[in-house]
């Protein structure tokens, strides 16, 4: 299958999936923070600054390492996320 040289990899389907994943994450945080009694202003500032800084770092790192490692980097990222999810699941199962 030939790839379109104008395709930057961010098609409508991928953007929709990313939007849904981000919305689920935001929902979890929006429900959890009030239950923990976290101060809303400090929480917003911390989340906003952290997100901005890590997004910039990720953009530059992605450009640099993405060009060199390509699909292998995608697989590594997926494995890291699966590992984190499994760790969290096991911790919650062991605590219960």
């Amino acid at each position: 299958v030939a790839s379109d040289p104008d395709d930057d990899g961010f098609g409508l389907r991928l953007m929709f999936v990313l939007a849904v994943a981000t919305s689920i994450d935001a929902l979890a945080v929006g429900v959890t923070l009030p239950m923990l009694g976290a101060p809303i202003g400090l929480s917003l500032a911390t989340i906003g600054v952290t997100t901005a800084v890590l997004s910039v770092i990720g953009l530059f790192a992605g450009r640099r390492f993405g060009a060199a490692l390509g699909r292998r980097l995608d697989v590594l990222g997926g494995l890291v996320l699966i590992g984190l999810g499994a760790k969290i699941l096991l911790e919650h199962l062991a605590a219960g």
Side-chain angles (χ1 to χ4, degrees), residues 58-76:
L59 176 67
F60 287 113
R63 283 186 179 171
R64 181 178 180 106
F65 297 118
L69 299 174
R71 296 290 295 168
R72 292 178 292 189
L73 196 58
D74 290 342
V75 171
L76 178 63

Side-chain angles (χ1 to χ4, degrees), residues 8 22 58 84 94:
D8 62 1
T22 302
L84 288 171

Side-chain angles (χ1 to χ4, degrees), residues 3-92:
S3 63
D4 182 3
D6 294 328
D7 183 19
D8 62 1
F10 291 99
L12 183 60
R13 183 184 308 171
L14 175 62
M15 295 305 289
F16 180 76
V17 170
L18 291 173
V20 169
T22 302
S23 298
I24 292 169
D25 182 57
L27 174 67
V29 170
V31 168
T32 304
L33 283 177
M35 291 184 350
L36 295 174
I40 191 72
L42 179 61
S43 297
L44 288 173
T46 302
I47 291 169
V49 169
T50 303
T51 300
V53 169
L54 291 177
S55 293
V56 170
I57 291 170
L59 176 67
F60 287 113
R63 283 186 179 171
R64 181 178 180 106
F65 297 118
L69 299 174
R71 296 290 295 168
R72 292 178 292 189
L73 196 58
D74 290 342
V75 171
L76 178 63
L79 291 173
V80 167
L81 289 175
I82 290 169
L84 288 171
K87 177 184 179 289
I88 292 169
L89 176 65
L90 291 174
E91 287 175 352
H92 283 81

